Amino acid sequence: MHAALVLAALATALDPGSAASVAQSAELRITPASLTASPAAPAAAAPAASLADPCADADALPAEPACRDAPLCAARDRVRTVCELRDAFRARYVFLDAKPKLLGNGFEASARLDACVADERAIAREDEPLAFYDRVRTCLSGFQDGHLIVTTPGRLPQVRLGVELRRAGSKIVVAARDPALRALDGDAVVDALPFGAEVVEIDGTPVADAVATLAREVPGSSQAARLARAVEALTRRDFAHPTHRTATLLVNLPGGEQRTVELPWWVSPGAERHPVAGAWAQRTGLPTTPRLAWFEDAARPRKCAAVEGAPAVAPVVPAAAARALVEYVDDAGRVAVRLGAVDQGVAQPFCYVQILSFHTQGLTGPDGRRGFVATVTDFIRRCGAERRDLVLDLRHNEGGYLDHSTSIAEALAPRGTPEPAAALLLRATERNEAVYRERATGTDSDDDVLAPRHVLEAIRAARRGGQPLTPAFVAGAPPRTEGFPGKVIALTSPACMSACDRLAALLKASGRAVLLGGPTEGAGGSQQEAPGLPARWTDSARLLSVAIPNAAFGVRRAAAGVVVTTAGGGAPPS
């Protein structure tokens, strides 16, 4: 949502006479019934081979002498890798048995994975190993799950243009750019793409078609989430690596003029030495820049990173108030939280909390490092003491620790009211049993439903009974003796996922917040792990890594029982 529209909507929502109507129009629905099969990620065709099990004789596939030691060149190596992935899915994926019912249209999880194996068997020799990862992405995108992120243990190099695009209504426009790339791209090139210019075509392809193509390779629990990520990927991604050094953009300028602009692609430093991407990097000769870090997850900026324009993660408050916000970074130095009071440029002062990630236990700010929950909840408590309303900006929250979402919801609850009960269930597997055996201690509280010892007992009981899943663990917070007295406006979008989905659902189910903006992603999965047992799976040859959710969460609705939220975003606001 455009910043000006957000500010106008906030003014309406914070008006005591109009909050109810906004709450009715800004529905957030995270339900299995809202699922639709994505036209951008069609179900895979039946396996081309007639094998009952396409993995049965993977090791007997003939060697390809011309491949020598090139990774992922021979069918045998690729089939072995995808077969290991298939088996890991069967052992770990919490939604394996639920996906056919959730997605409909004849989707069958095991059949899709078998079809992906058959596709690799049909390619005797692969001279472009990066294409293998793109096929795996397309295979897994059919599961419509935002957690199924494909990469390698050493990650793949990112490629980037010097601008950031964003959807504005039915158009895709230039929204921001990295000033450090101006000197590299050249002033004339950069100035030819003013903010607000509409991108019509990329490399001769209508931009809508380019987005649809990329959407087939991005994970997402709803069509809205896949499209949002595909728009971001038009100019920055670690898949669908370009084959040319430049991208040609046809744009409509705000004044009506149409022009063609050629932008150079940039790649992470050291790509030419990557065991999988090296041949591609050397062949294309893309220039490198340290501005495109290997280990940075997409677009969240590092502290004090300069960005021109209005990047997606920018706060939606007046410029003076945005400059006064206090930034807190995670342990990787990336901005995770922004906090501050907004007094200027608005009709009614309020507090602003922007949370970009729950993926950190600590936050570092002006006063050093503190716990995530303490930093945010102390600020909420101060705002309550000052009798201010609060805007909670979750539009670009990548998720993280579920406990953080619980703590924020509890901090925002009014005095004397309980929070809605929330549920967690897990795959009853040997691995999850090992995770909770590592977590369990003799000091676990008997009163805590989600204490690791209780979860461990349930996993063991389910395994003894041959059940694929544990029962749902249902827990709720008791009424608060102190609470937040003001109104709460939560800004959401399809980029709010996982633990962010959960926080939005808690706020909606309790009626505590007005939800303003688009639907959240709808990812109901969770990745329960321990230090020695990560949820991210890696194959035996260490060529492929995939995040596989092994648990699911849900929130009790006001007029129903516990509903485990699964893949599927909510309907957009009317």
Side-chain angles (χ1 to χ4, degrees):
M1 182 180 291
H2 192 276
L5 296 178
V6 170
L7 290 173
L10 287 177
T12 303
L14 292 172
D15 185 328
S18 61
S21 63
V22 175
Q24 292 170 1
S25 66
E27 284 286 328
L28 174 71
R29 305 183 184 93
I30 310 174
T31 66
S34 69
L35 284 166
T36 56
S38 166
S50 59
L51 297 173
D53 179 0
C55 294
D57 62 348
D59 289 333
L61 288 172
E64 177 60 50
C67 287
R68 298 182 182 177
D69 295 328
L72 300 170
C73 174
R76 180 171 57 188
D77 297 336
R78 288 179 280 105
V79 169
R80 184 186 297 118
T81 299
V82 180
C83 286
E84 290 183 15
L85 173 62
R86 183 198 70 171
D87 294 344
F89 252 70
R90 290 176 174 176
R92 301 188 185 194
Y93 189 42
V94 69
F95 298 128
L96 184 74
D97 297 326
K99 279 296 176 178
K101 181 178 179 181
L102 291 169
L103 299 186
N105 290 340
F107 183 89
E108 209 285 316
S110 292
R112 182 170 184 90
L113 293 168
D114 282 347
C116 298
V117 175
D119 288 344
E120 295 306 321
R121 293 182 71 107
I123 303 172
R125 173 178 165 180
E126 175 59 81
D127 293 322
E128 180 49 85
L130 290 176
F132 167 78
Y133 296 99
D134 290 343
R135 289 194 296 272
V136 173
R137 286 174 174 272
T138 301
C139 171
L140 297 187
S141 71
F143 285 84
Q144 299 188 26
D145 189 326
H147 285 97
L148 298 178
I149 300 170
V150 176
T151 184
T152 70
R155 302 188 68 85
L156 291 167
Q158 295 186 68
V159 291
R160 179 181 180 178
L161 300 176
V163 297
E164 178 184 315
L165 306 182
R166 187 185 306 168
R167 187 179 296 278
S170 61
K171 300 178 180 179
I172 293 176
V173 302
V174 177
R177 57 177 167 253
D178 186 335
L181 295 182
R182 173 182 284 272
L184 301 176
D185 290 347
D187 288 344
V189 172
V190 173
D191 293 340
L193 288 170
F195 299 133
E198 178 192 3
V199 178
V200 179
E201 294 181 357
I202 296 182
D203 292 331
T205 300
V207 70
D209 293 344
V211 169
T213 297
L214 292 172
R216 296 188 182 98
E217 293 192 37
V218 297
S221 301
S222 63
Q223 180 70 348
R226 287 187 290 277
L227 292 177
R229 289 174 181 165
V231 170
E232 293 177 0
L234 287 170
T235 60
R236 182 172 184 163
R237 57 184 184 262
D238 64 352
F239 65 97
H241 290 77
T243 58
H244 297 86
R245 290 172 59 94
T246 61
T248 302
L249 279 60
L250 179 65
V251 298
N252 290 333
L253 301 183
E257 176 191 350
Q258 189 172 81
R259 68 171 54 145
T260 298
V261 181
E262 192 171 54
L263 276 177
W265 282 105
W266 299 92
V267 67
S268 306
E272 70 282 358
R273 298 187 299 275
H274 192 277
V276 170
W280 161 83
Q282 294 173 31
R283 183 172 62 255
T284 56
L286 265 59
T288 65
T289 172
R291 294 290 300 181
L292 201 51
W294 278 76
F295 299 102
E296 188 172 84
D297 292 331
R300 261 204 301 139
R302 294 189 177 266
K303 187 171 178 61
C304 300
V307 180
E308 296 177 349
V313 296
V316 285
V317 295
R323 289 191 293 270
L325 296 175
V326 180
E327 287 190 344
Y328 295 85
V329 300
D330 62 18
D331 292 334
R334 294 175 297 158
V335 178
V337 172
R338 295 184 176 107
L339 305 172
V342 179
D343 297 308
Q344 300 178 353
V346 293
Q348 180 177 343
F350 58 88
C351 283
Y352 179 78
V353 177
Q354 183 183 31
I355 304 178
L356 297 171
S357 176
F358 289 123
H359 272 119
T360 181
Q361 293 286 12
L363 293 171
T364 301
D367 299 325
R369 190 178 190 275
R370 295 186 65 206
F372 181 100
V373 170
T375 300
V376 178
T377 57
D378 284 355
F379 177 75
I380 291 173
R381 192 175 297 113
R382 291 197 301 272
C383 290
E386 296 172 2
R387 314 298 293 185
R388 289 176 179 261
D389 297 330
L390 185 139
V391 173
L392 178 63
D393 189 345
L394 302 173
R395 294 168 303 134
H396 296 280
N397 185 297
E398 63 190 14
Y401 294 108
L402 294 182
D403 289 349
H404 290 354
S405 64
T406 300
S407 298
I408 302 303
E410 290 176 356
L412 292 172
R415 180 176 180 177
T417 61
E419 274 301 296
L424 180 73
L425 60 80
L426 298 95
R427 278 293 298 269
T429 64
E430 179 182 357
R431 186 178 186 84
N432 275 354
E433 182 175 336
V435 167
Y436 276 86
R437 191 164 55 243
E438 185 172 327
R439 288 187 182 183
T441 69
T443 59
D444 285 349
S445 169
D446 287 334
D447 297 332
D448 184 357
V449 174
L450 291 174
R453 178 168 59 83
H454 298 324
V455 178
L456 177 60
E457 292 169 354
I459 294 173
R460 287 171 172 168
R463 293 189 66 201
R464 287 194 300 269
Q467 300 299 314
L469 301 171
T470 67
F473 300 91
V474 183
R480 292 175 58 84
T481 56
E482 58 175 306
F484 184 75
K487 295 186 180 69
V488 179
I489 310 298
L491 306 181
T492 60
S493 82
C496 166
M497 73 166 294
S498 195
C500 183
D501 272 313
R502 184 175 185 272
L503 176 54
L506 285 169
L507 295 174
K508 180 176 173 58
S510 66
R512 182 63 187 100
V514 173
L515 288 122
L516 182 65
T520 63
E521 176 175 327
S526 173
Q527 300 180 84
Q528 300 297 308
E529 58 187 2
L533 294 164
R536 181 173 290 276
W537 166 86
T538 299
D539 74 305
S540 60
R542 299 193 61 78
L543 292 169
L544 177 67
S545 289
V546 179
I548 304 177
N550 54 10
F553 61 80
V555 174
R556 187 188 298 277
R557 294 179 183 166
V562 172
V563 177
V564 175
T565 59
T566 57
S574 58

